[in-house]
């Protein structure tokens, strides 16, 4: 409470100070030569908060214009909210590129800037770039974040969602209706069958997990029994060795006997030794036969447990993919790597804290005609169902081909399309860019791509995201691959230097549903 009160007072002072500075700035402008009515008319009109004069749906994307210092939110029918913003100052510029909301915090305090209050924070990179409420002096003034009016940020905080696309453009761009044969066309039968398939595979995954658990328990019991049998067998081998040694001693005593009485005693001892040795040999032979059979059974049980665990993993992965088939799919196509990457939000909280886990189970090479010629950066979004298909929009934020020509140059493998297109739903998207994925992309983010030909001060100067374990293996037993465990090519820190191309590998596409 104390921190909030202090922050609130600080914010109040900041607002008043901002108002005073704005007033002085206005007086200074009026005092300049040529700053009369003609000059004011020559300047673009300031952006003001606005709401579309129609009922609005849930927002699908936000577009921030660095040039116009404004943000516009869109639903399936067009823009719904617009407001002025304040982006990064020179040297700490807000990065232009493609992002998505990855975390929300109603009452956030900065860990980078002296506990500064950033109310209604919506994070778009883990290294500290976010949308949040803040003072707006009428020009770029932040350290790289996108400040919005306090009331506007509060109004939209509960309207947005994790994974919602945020596009930051150098210029003033808008989403426009778009159609193209390369855009995903869903299959009505596949869409209708997806929920029941997911439910069926979910039950099969539960059964497989139960079977695997039982097999693991049986294997553990068999392993303990096998160890016990081996210990017992060693004792019998030692007993036989002692019996054989006693028989040899009896033979030597019998051979050394000088009197009839001594020979009789030695003979009696030998007979006992023979009987003991025969009994020990019989017990050992029986134990060996029994142990061999039980060890074979234990090995079979162990193999069954291994097979059950493998089946559990395969069915769990298939069940997860079937469940994700009903989620919007995001596809990123990079001319830099000539690869296609697929992501879907699992809506599972990251176990190491912060954000949600995004599935990263598919990447594949794509064919790009004239790969040395720029494509530009284009974001295609399925905004709504359109009969049996989808209605799409396009946003272009970087120079290159126009949106249609960019898609014309790309060929997606048929087997990849077969896994993605049949169950594509509204909010699915395709991003085409010359850029590689940013180093900020990890299993807790949607795609992050930053334009390398634009200033990135507020992105580069921030502390990079710490290395994170990818959701795979024992820690994240959810069927995710290690897609983003390696490092991706980042953006150039000091142009024109560029790092080597990112290291990638191709995971073969398995037939079946996505």
């Amino acid at each position: 409470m104390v921190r909030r009160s202090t922050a609130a007072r600080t914010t109040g002072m900041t607002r008043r100070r901002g108002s005073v500075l704005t007033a002085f700035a206005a007086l200074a402008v009026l005092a300049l030569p040529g700053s009369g009515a003609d000059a004011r008319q020559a300047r673009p009109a300031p952006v003001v908060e606005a709401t579309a004069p129609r009922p609005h749906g849930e927002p699908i994307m936000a577009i921030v214009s660095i040039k116009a210092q404004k943000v516009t939110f869109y639903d399936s029918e067009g823009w719904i909210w617009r407001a002025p913003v304040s982006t990064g100052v020179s040297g700490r510029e807000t990065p232009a590129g493609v992002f998505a909301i990855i975390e929300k915090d109603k009452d956030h305090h900065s860990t980078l800037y002296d506990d500064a209050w950033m109310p209604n924070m919506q994070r778009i990179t883990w290294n500290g770039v976010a949308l949040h409420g803040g003072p707006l002096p009428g020009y770029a003034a932040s350290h790289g974040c996108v400040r919005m009016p306090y009331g506007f940020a509060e109004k939209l905080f509960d309207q947005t969602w994790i994974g919602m696309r945020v596009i930051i453009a150098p210029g003033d761009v808008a989403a426009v209706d778009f159609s193209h044969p390369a855009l995903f066309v869903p299959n009505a039968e596949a869409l209708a069958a997806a929920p029941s398939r997911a439910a069926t595979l979910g039950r099969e995954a539960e059964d497989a997990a139960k079977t695997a658990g039982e097999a693991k328990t049986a294997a553990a019991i068999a392993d303990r029994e096998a160890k016990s049998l081996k210990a017992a067998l060693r004792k019998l081998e030692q007993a036989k060795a002692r019996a054989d040694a006693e028989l040899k001693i009896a033979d030597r005593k019998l051979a050394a006997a000088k009197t009839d009485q001594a020979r009789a005693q030695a003979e009696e001892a030998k007979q006992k030794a023979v009987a003991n040795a025969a009994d020990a040999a019989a017990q050992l032979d029986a134990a060996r036969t029994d142990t061999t059979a039980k060890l074979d059974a234990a090995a079979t049980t162990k193999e069954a447990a291994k097979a059950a665990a493998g089946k559990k993993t395969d069915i769990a992965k298939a069940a997860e993919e079937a469940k994700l088939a009903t989620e919007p799919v995001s596809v990123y196509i990079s001319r830099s790597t000539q690869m296609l990457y697929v992501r879907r939000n699992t809506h599972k909280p990251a176990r190491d804290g912060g954000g949600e886990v995004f599935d990263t189970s598919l990447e594949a090479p794509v064919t790009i005609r004239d790969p040395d010629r720029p494509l530009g950066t284009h974001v295609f979004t399925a905004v709504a169902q359109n009969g049996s298909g989808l209605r799409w929009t396009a946003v272009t934020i970087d120079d290159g081909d126009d949106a249609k020509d960019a898609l014309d140059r790309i060929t997606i493998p048929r087997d990849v399309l077969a896994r993605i297109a049949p169950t594509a739903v509204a909010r699915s998207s395709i991003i085409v860019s010359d850029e590689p994925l940013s180093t900020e992309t990890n299993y807790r983010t949607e795609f992050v791509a930053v334009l390398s030909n634009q200033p990135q001060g507020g992105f580069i100067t921030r502390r990079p995201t710490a290395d994170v374990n990818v959701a795979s293996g024992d820690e994240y037993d959810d069927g995710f691959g290690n897609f983003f465990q390696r490092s991706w090519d980042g953006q150039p820190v000091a142009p024109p230097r560029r790092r080597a191309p990112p290291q990638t590998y191709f995971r073969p596409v398995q037939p079946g549903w996505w």
Side-chain angles (χ1 to χ4, degrees), residues 9-67:
R9 289 197 299 274
T10 302
T11 301
M13 290 187 290
T14 302
R15 285 173 171 167
R16 290 193 294 274
R17 187 161 55 248
S19 299
V20 172
L21 290 173
T22 301
F24 276 119
L27 290 173
V29 169
L30 289 173
L32 291 172
S35 60
D38 292 340
R40 287 196 298 273
Q41 290 175 2
R43 291 196 299 270
V47 178
V48 296
E49 287 188 42
T51 300
R54 61 175 175 81
H56 67 79
E58 193 172 46
I60 292 176
M61 76 178 87
I63 301 177
V64 176
S65 169
I66 295 176
K67 178 181 179 181

Side-chain angles (χ1 to χ4, degrees), residues 250-271:
D251 280 334
R252 287 196 296 269
K253 286 183 177 180
L254 180 61
K258 301 299 183 180
T259 64
D260 291 342
Q261 182 179 1
R263 280 194 294 273
Q265 289 176 347
E267 184 65 35
E268 183 180 358
K270 178 181 178 180
Q271 294 303 318

Side-chain angles (χ1 to χ4, degrees), residues 456-501:
Q456 305 164 26
F459 186 73
I460 296 172
T461 58
R462 291 168 181 266
R463 183 173 61 254
T465 295
D467 291 338
V468 290
N469 292 324
V470 172
S472 62
D474 294 335
E475 182 181 1
Y476 287 89
D477 190 14
D478 295 319
F480 304 114
N482 60 349
F483 181 47
F484 283 103
Q485 193 164 9
R486 61 189 176 282
S487 295
W488 289 92
D489 182 25
Q491 309 303 324
V493 174
R497 285 185 60 200
R498 264 189 107 80
R499 302 178 193 169

Side-chain angles (χ1 to χ4, degrees), residues 96-99 170 331-341 368 371 373-378 397-399 431-439 441 447-456 459 488-492 497-499 501-502:
V98 182
F99 308 88
V331 174
Y332 189 92
I333 299 173
S334 168
R335 184 179 67 86
S336 174
T337 62
Q338 296 188 50
M339 296 289 288
L340 171 151
Y341 313 99
I368 300 176
R373 182 160 56 89
L375 287 166
T377 296
H378 315 272
I397 65 171
D398 194 21
D399 293 336
I431 304 164
V432 173
S433 180
D434 297 311
E435 305 293 344
L437 287 169
S438 165
T439 53
T441 304
F447 294 121
V448 178
V450 181
L451 300 188
S452 59
N453 59 1
Q454 296 295 320
Q456 305 164 26
F459 186 73
W488 289 92
D489 182 25
Q491 309 303 324
R497 285 185 60 200
R498 264 189 107 80
R499 302 178 193 169

